[in-house]
Amino acid sequence: MSVLCCSDLSESSRSAVHEALRLGDALQAPVTFLHVCPPPYPDPGYLSLAVEDVDLLELAGSRVRRAAQIALDALVREMRDALALGGVPTRTVIREGLVAKTIVEEAELEDAELIVIGTHARSGLPHVMLGSVAERVMRTASRPVLTVPPGLH
């Protein structure tokens, strides 16, 4: 058994990290924590329009990934300490891509048996305008998805 927990590093994803660690402990399963950074440009086809700025875009992307790695490591460490769960094997992974698609692909690569993902609990127009990564993951994943609302723990 292995668990993939997705975090967007927001306050609402803290509950998902908390629950993934509790599940990992209860199931004696390793937990991989994933953060997906959107690409620095919306579509690779647009890259040719910014040929002179490619190095600048890559540098910006590198800095974002580095900052995300530091933030994700700190979040997992903080939650492990708060729950006193030193025995749960964990690792953190930073990927770049379309968020829902990358989460599903990473679950396949990791052969994760469960995906844990937080929700922002948006409804109405904000939900329609922003969509839901959790919803897209649930529709496209080939494995169970546990959604965790904010503030659960």
Side-chain angles (χ1 to χ4, degrees):
M1 176 74 170
S2 63
V3 176
L4 176 69
C5 178
C6 312
S7 173
D8 63 2
L9 304 174
S10 70
E11 190 61 32
S12 60
S13 73
R14 295 172 65 84
S15 294
V17 171
H18 181 269
E19 288 305 308
L21 283 167
R22 287 176 16 111
L23 278 167
D25 183 55
L27 300 171
Q28 296 183 339
V31 182
T32 299
F33 293 92
L34 171 68
H35 174 75
V36 180
C37 298
Y41 34 85
D43 182 320
Y46 290 109
L47 194 55
S48 63
L49 299 174
V51 173
E52 294 173 10
D53 297 326
V54 171
D55 291 338
L56 183 60
L57 289 172
E58 288 302 321
L59 179 61
S62 176
R63 287 181 178 164
V64 166
R65 288 188 300 276
R66 207 169 23 253
Q69 183 73 59
I70 291 167
L72 185 58
D73 289 344
L75 175 59
V76 171
R77 190 172 41 255
E78 175 190 339
M79 288 292 179
R80 282 178 70 129
D81 292 348
L83 292 168
L85 295 176
V88 177
T90 62
R91 72 186 191 98
T92 58
V93 176
I94 304 297
R95 295 284 184 254
E96 186 177 281
L98 300 173
V99 179
K101 182 177 186 245
T102 303
I103 289 169
V104 171
E105 289 171 352
E106 190 68 23
E108 296 287 332
L109 285 172
E110 293 281 327
D111 198 25
E113 295 171 67
L114 176 67
I115 300 170
V116 178
I117 189 168
T119 64
H120 288 278
R122 292 185 185 107
S123 62
L125 190 57
H127 175 74
V128 171
M129 297 301 287
L130 297 172
S132 169
V133 170
E135 194 174 301
R136 283 187 293 254
V137 170
M138 286 188 303
R139 279 197 320 262
T140 58
S142 63
R143 53 209 67 230
V145 178
L146 172 66
T147 59
V148 182
L152 185 64
H153 66 279

